[in-house]
Each structure stands twice: as C-alpha cells, then as structure tokens.
Amino acid sequence: MKKIISYVTIVALLFAVGLVAEPMDGQPLQKTAAVTAGQVTRTLSNISNWSYWVYSNGQTGHAPSGVSGGVYPRGTAGSIYQDGFVWGGRIDTTGDNIGDEIRVGGQTYNIGTIPGWVITGGDYADAVVADASDPAVRVYRIRPDYLSLTHAQLIQDAAEVNETDASSVTEAMTQDLMDQYALDWEEWPVELGAPYYDLDDDGAWTADVDEPGIAQADQIVWYVVNDYSRTATTSLYGSLPIGVELQTTLWAYNQPGVRLGQIIFRSNKLINKSGKTLTDMYVSMWADPDLGSASDDFAGCDVDLSLGYAYNGTATDGDYDAFNLAPPAFGYDF
C-alpha cells in the first residue's frame, strides 16, 4: 500500500490503526476451540466509565435492543448511537501497479464485514475464509481478575450484557458470564492475532507461561473480521470486496473515577489479503453520536489535536436530566 492517510470523524474512544500487507504465500491461520459455551456474537466493554457494545461482525456502539450502544457514564444515558471503522482505496485489478478501481468497506449503519479470519486470500470469488459455525469465530472478552469478581460485580456485568436490571439477573446468567470469561481466557486466539504478554521474551506464544492481554488493561475485547462477502460490501456502499482482514482490539481500565477510566482504547490492524496493490488508501472512524437526545447535537474537530468530537447544543439534555447530569462531550483521538 503506497499511501495511507488517516483521519477521524466524530465521537469518544482512543484508537490506533496499523495497515499491513501480507504475501499470498503466508501460512493460513486455523483455530478449533476444544470447548465452547456458545457462539458469542456480541459482548460489552464495560469496565471503565463506558458501557460499549461490540459484535463479532465488526459492528460497534449499537445496542441489541436497537438503542444507543455507547453509554456514558456507564449506567446512565447513551452517547453513541452506533460507530464503526471504514476504509477505501484504489485497487489494481489489471496487474500494472496502478489503482484503477475504487473500493470501500467497513461498518456504518450497514455492516460490510463478516466474522472470521482469512484462510486463503486472493480475489473475493476464490478466497477461503473461516466457517462462521466454527466456535472460534466469535468476539472474545477477557479480564485478568475474573476469578476474584464479587457477587455485586457479576450482577452488574450480567445485567448489562443481558440488557436487564439487576433484580432480574438469574444465577444462570452469572454462571454463563463466568464460563465465558474462563473460556475466552483459555482459548485466547493468539494464533489469529490477539495480543499477549511475552513473559519469557522468546518472541512466541508459550502456553502456561505467557498471558493474554495488552498494556496492563483490566478488560480486553478482540475480534477478527473480513470483507470477503460481496453481499456485505455491496449492502454497505455498493462496492465489491477489496480482500482485507481486520483485527480489532479494544481495551479499558477499571478506573471510572479518573481520566483513564473515561477512555476506551482501540487498535485496528488492517491486512491486505487480496494479493493486489492498493493505492491512495484512506481509513477513518465513522460515528453517529447521540448525546442523549439526538435532536440537539453538534460536531467539530481540532486538527492540531487530531481530535473529532461531539457536544450537546444546549446546557441540558432530557435524557441526562433523568440522572441529574449535564450532557457530556466526547471525541475520537487518532
């Protein structure tokens, strides 16, 4: 990829992007889970002052019930209705190293990606991708302290994951939560690209020595998707697939009362698996910010800070008034 220009649109997480080209003869990645607690298609980043929905197909920031899926402060009103990561560039379809066709992908209101990794890349019509029924094709969520969670912490987590109130949480819900934390820790998919601590410093994953995780985070969410679905990409922006794999890591800290607890960090690793040259490549975060009521929101950017932000147009907002809170402002820092 000859040129990468990165910028951000509106709304509230820190994130980074890596763009990597992979040769066609790369070894395929495969994973089979020994045990599964079910095909996990969605989960939450909810250890900070955010509650933020994440899906195995790459959709983020939108709740299963159809309302805002980025809640801030956690347990109050919605701030993000939906967001996603989008990209576009010129693909060389003739082999002359000139990008002759514009193609785009990613996630907005429509989702242009499908769950799973690319086994054999190349043209979208011939590629082989992970089977969606493979238990390893899911969104993963871990936290190092899951074995020491209190009953109150389990209740709150289960209530948010099941979109219910604490009084409606059942023992089965909390058990499912613990089972999934344990399974995702045990089956953390390092071989697919999930981050880990190389504790023996040998440059490779060593089971029972190295540990899942990143940046001393208290909770990590990870998924891998690809754009090898013509149906998905054309429903997004009418484009054919490029032939990319996206690995996304989101991490946060259990410090809701301080600055670090107001942030969800996001890393996007976009890998060109098409076997073709991409030129003039752009990437961006896309978002629909709803700071409580959607009728009075404004957006802006600060080029020097590389920050896109949203804020309420008035000093009060009906949704936040219910919690005796002023509406927040928030942004994406690139």
Side-chain angles (χ1 to χ4, degrees):
M1 300 183 181
K2 295 182 179 178
K3 182 180 180 183
I4 305 170
I5 300 177
S6 302
Y7 63 97
V8 291
T9 52
I10 357 187
V11 225
L13 321 165
L14 286 183
F15 76 103
V17 58
L19 204 52
V20 181
E22 180 178 273
M24 287 293 292
D25 58 357
Q27 292 297 311
L29 297 172
Q30 300 186 42
K31 171 100 167 56
T32 302
V35 186
T36 181
Q39 203 77 26
V40 182
T41 60
R42 64 189 186 224
T43 192
L44 280 170
S45 173
N46 63 344
I47 202 168
S48 64
N49 215 13
W50 280 92
S51 176
Y52 178 79
W53 282 98
V54 184
Y55 296 76
S56 61
N57 67 352
Q59 178 179 340
T60 51
H62 192 62
S65 58
V67 299
S68 294
V71 175
Y72 180 88
R74 183 182 175 193
T76 64
S79 290
I80 300 173
Y81 178 75
Q82 188 167 337
D83 66 1
F85 185 63
V86 297
W87 55 83
R90 296 180 181 272
I91 189 167
D92 171 20
T93 63
T94 61
D96 59 1
N97 289 321
I98 298 175
D100 56 277
E101 184 177 319
I102 295 175
R103 294 187 188 178
V104 296
Q107 310 94 21
T108 60
Y109 295 118
N110 291 327
I111 308 302
T113 49
I114 58 174
W117 58 95
V118 179
I119 297 173
T120 304
D123 187 78
Y124 70 90
D126 303 316
V128 179
V129 299
D131 188 336
S133 65
D134 186 333
V137 179
R138 64 181 191 261
V139 57
Y140 292 77
R141 183 176 72 151
I142 58 171
R143 52 183 297 172
D145 66 344
Y146 76 93
L147 289 174
S148 61
L149 291 176
T150 67
H151 181 67
Q153 288 173 319
L154 281 172
I155 292 293
Q156 183 181 13
D157 198 352
E160 292 173 350
V161 167
N162 288 280
E163 289 193 294
T164 190
D165 55 81
S167 63
S168 300
V169 171
T170 65
E171 184 177 347
M173 290 178 183
T174 57
Q175 188 61 57
D176 286 347
L177 193 75
M178 284 295 292
D179 289 347
Q180 198 63 53
Y181 272 130
L183 187 70
D184 287 349
W185 184 270
E186 177 187 346
E187 297 184 352
W188 189 243
V190 169
E191 66 273 35
L192 300 180
Y196 68 96
Y197 299 117
D198 186 10
L199 297 179
D200 57 4
D201 200 28
D202 66 350
W205 169 258
T206 306
D208 300 321
V209 176
D210 299 333
E211 292 184 1
I214 185 172
Q216 298 181 338
D218 295 315
Q219 188 183 61
I220 306 102
V221 176
W222 188 89
Y223 61 85
V224 56
V225 296
N226 68 83
D227 76 339
Y228 277 96
S229 167
R230 181 172 179 170
T231 300
T233 59
T234 55
S235 71
L236 176 66
Y237 282 130
S239 171
L240 292 175
I242 292 176
V244 297
E245 177 180 294
L246 173 67
Q247 300 173 12
T248 298
T249 308
L250 301 105
W251 67 99
Y253 298 87
N254 188 15
Q255 301 180 32
V258 300
R259 181 181 301 176
L260 197 58
Q262 317 315 310
I263 300 168
I264 299 175
F265 294 84
R266 176 172 182 153
S267 170
N268 295 304
K269 183 177 183 181
L270 194 61
I271 308 173
N272 180 9
K273 301 251 182 173
S274 70
K276 299 175 181 178
T277 299
L278 293 172
T279 66
D280 302 300
M281 188 76 177
Y282 290 79
V283 298
S284 176
M285 284 298 291
W286 169 91
D288 178 353
D290 285 348
L291 289 152
S293 171
S295 63
D296 57 357
D297 299 329
F298 290 85
C301 67
D302 187 316
V303 175
D304 292 335
L305 294 178
S306 189
L307 178 71
Y309 56 85
Y311 61 98
N312 213 62
T314 59
T316 61
D317 180 277
D319 289 5
Y320 280 97
D321 284 347
F323 300 95
N324 294 316
L325 293 172
F330 60 105
Y332 290 103
D333 177 76
F334 189 84

